[in-house]
Amino acid sequence: MKNWRNMLAATLAVSALVGFSAPVTEAAYSLNPEVKDATPALKEASQIGVLKHETPELQNEANKDAIVVMSFGTTFKDTRAKTIDATVKAIQAAHPDVKVVTAFTSHIIIDRIAKNEGIKYPTPEEALTQLKSDGYTRVALASLDVIPGMEYAYDKGVYDNYKNQFKKMTLGTSLMYWQGQEEQPDDVTETIEALETQFPKQKKDEAILIMAHGTPQVSNAYYSVIQAKINELGLKNVFVYTVEGWPSLETVMPKLKANGIKKVTLMPMMMVAGDHANNDMAGSDPDSHKSQLEAAGYKVDAYIHGIGENEKIRALYVKRANDAWDALESDK
């Protein structure tokens, strides 16, 4: 039976970034060498996984390297310190001699932090413009996104718009990207196993509801994969739902009733515990998820911590940043 890679063999070839003394890093894809006259559309279609671009006319420039860590950001100062800042510090610790810049993709959040705290975070575009002005020639872009949804599309847009201004630029993947297809890593299972370390012990009549963000983009389908991987791992009464996508809380509530659940623990699957976690999930308003579940007769606990507080999750983000860095350093 032909698999999807074989069906694309005429145009695409797999190129895994593997070190002999190190574990397999994130894979990337490249065009099959038999393709001599690839169109721009074909080149665009072949860009999967860790992305890498070299600008030919800038190859004589000296190497001056930086890492830009891109996040949506949050106005919640305490959770920002425990999640985004902690993750960036871990990335910096892995690359102590490299300049590491934090950039937020939400312009509204940037403006509110500047107004309320007097701290000005750059957008990714501003960060790259400044790095170019300061003489940096090679940049690895790292993402703190959970899935490759609309926010990750922003990251890729930044990469596409700025890659020709630098000698070399790479873009790492989101926390969950590969799903174990073909010879690729299983980022989804890896993430669930890391997340599981913060799960409370469950009784038969207890459930864990993991709140994700959701997206109108087709990448919303990742949540079905996440649920399938949860089931494959044998985790009982653990369900994923979203604030702004599918499945919703209304989608999973019938499953609670069918399984005889009496107590529910809510926890966000988001980098930070911001507005969605504190208000949509665990707020006191009648339409919060906690209130809706309590009105339905369930006892509810709320775990209000962003996944950036989870040491094992942070380690995965460092790994994704390292993949971007390794691609920057690689001659292949």
Side-chain angles (χ1 to χ4, degrees), residues 48-322:
I48 310 171
V50 178
L51 305 183
K52 180 173 70 173
H53 173 80
E54 296 181 77
T55 305
E57 56 268 31
L58 301 180
Q59 291 309 299
N60 290 330
E61 293 187 353
N63 292 344
K64 187 176 182 182
D65 302 335
I67 298 172
V68 176
V69 182
M70 298 181 289
S71 169
F72 183 79
T74 181
T75 57
F76 286 69
K77 185 176 180 180
D78 290 343
T79 190
R80 186 168 70 241
K82 297 175 183 177
T83 57
I84 297 172
D85 293 350
T87 304
V88 173
K89 286 178 182 178
I91 293 171
Q92 179 70 80
H95 304 276
D97 300 322
V98 179
K99 183 178 180 65
V100 177
V101 180
T102 304
F104 287 172
T105 59
S106 172
H107 296 214
I108 293 174
I109 285 175
I110 289 172
D111 291 343
R112 289 178 180 174
I113 293 174
K115 179 181 178 180
N116 298 328
E117 301 179 38
I119 301 171
K120 180 62 169 70
Y121 284 91
T123 64
E125 295 92 333
E126 289 170 341
L128 290 171
T129 298
Q130 187 62 54
L131 288 172
K132 178 71 174 178
S133 176
D134 292 342
Y136 286 86
T137 59
R138 304 199 311 172
V139 181
L141 300 175
S143 170
L144 298 189
D145 296 323
V146 177
I147 65 170
M150 290 184 69
E151 278 298 308
Y152 187 74
Y154 183 132
D155 298 344
K156 189 173 183 297
V158 170
Y159 167 85
D160 286 334
N161 289 328
Y162 281 81
K163 62 188 179 183
N164 289 318
Q165 296 187 30
F166 292 87
K167 177 180 180 179
K168 190 171 184 180
M169 180 176 282
T170 61
L171 171 63
T173 62
S174 53
L175 178 65
M176 287 181 278
Y177 187 94
W178 301 109
Q179 303 168 11
Q181 66 270 50
E182 289 293 318
E183 299 172 356
Q184 308 311 323
D186 189 346
D187 298 342
V188 181
T189 295
E190 191 176 41
T191 300
I192 294 167
E193 289 175 338
L195 197 64
E196 186 186 2
T197 63
Q198 67 188 46
F199 288 179
K201 291 184 178 180
Q202 292 173 261
K203 297 179 181 179
K204 290 184 178 181
D205 61 353
E206 296 178 350
I208 297 172
L209 295 189
I210 301 171
M211 183 190 69
H213 192 280
T215 176
Q217 198 188 46
V218 293
S219 59
N220 193 85
Y222 263 81
Y223 301 120
S224 291
V225 177
I226 293 167
Q227 187 63 61
K229 298 287 187 179
I230 286 172
N231 297 342
E232 283 183 5
L233 288 170
L235 301 177
K236 304 296 183 182
N237 294 323
V238 177
F239 304 104
V240 174
Y241 76 100
T242 68
V243 183
E244 299 179 7
W246 182 95
S248 64
L249 180 62
E250 291 74 18
T251 307
V252 300
M253 283 184 71
K255 298 178 182 179
L256 302 179
K257 184 177 180 180
N259 291 355
I261 300 302
K262 295 181 180 179
K263 179 181 177 182
V264 174
T265 297
L266 297 170
M267 65 173 58
M269 189 172 63
M270 301 176 182
M271 166 55 76
V272 302
D275 184 64
H276 286 311
N278 285 277
N279 297 315
D280 294 323
M281 186 186 82
S284 57
D285 290 345
D287 60 348
S288 76
H289 307 156
K290 182 175 183 289
S291 296
Q292 290 182 56
L293 287 162
E294 288 176 337
Y298 298 101
K299 182 179 178 180
V300 182
D301 285 341
Y303 181 88
I304 311 178
H305 301 274
I307 60 174
E309 292 188 42
N310 185 315
E311 184 178 355
K312 291 188 179 296
I313 293 288
R314 286 202 303 273
L316 293 180
Y317 276 116
V318 172
K319 183 178 178 182
R320 304 292 180 262
N322 288 347

